[in-house]
Amino acid sequence: METESTLDQKPSAERKFAEGNARMLTDRAAEAVACYREAAEAGLAAAQLYLGVCYAHGSGVDKDELAAVVWVRRAAEQGDLEAQVYLGSCY
């Protein structure tokens, strides 16, 4: 269940996620990861998935399969279908 403070963080998290996508498109992966992390920590499922994928591929961060699964699982547990499919492919 989302709390009021979690709901207040969503618009800001969505902006950070969009900023991360823009940075990824301009080959600034490390900066994108920082944006994704901020949005992911605020609970945005899409950012959790993207952060996990960055860890899985070593894009903007050192490759870390455990961190990848942890972040993708968080998104999958929120019902993100793409994360659920991606998580299934990790096993």
Side-chain angles (χ1 to χ4, degrees), residues 8-75:
D8 289 342
Q9 292 175 359
K10 292 287 182 174
S12 176
E14 289 170 358
R15 281 192 298 276
K16 267 301 182 188
F17 178 65
E19 183 180 331
N21 287 338
R23 291 174 190 271
M24 191 62 82
L25 290 172
T26 59
D27 291 325
R28 297 179 350 213
E31 294 174 20
V33 166
C35 293
Y36 291 154
R37 182 179 318 282
E38 188 175 329
E41 289 173 350
L44 189 66
Q48 292 168 340
L49 170 61
Y50 278 45
L51 182 58
V53 171
C54 286
Y55 273 112
H57 296 281
S59 181
V61 290
D62 290 335
K63 188 173 183 176
D64 184 336
E65 293 176 4
L66 179 59
V69 169
V70 166
W71 282 109
V72 173
R73 181 182 305 272
R74 288 181 184 178

Side-chain angles (χ1 to χ4, degrees), residues 76-91:
E77 288 173 348
Q78 290 191 63
D80 185 291
L81 182 59
E82 189 176 352
Q84 292 169 354
V85 170
Y86 191 89
L87 185 61
S89 74
C90 293
Y91 292 97

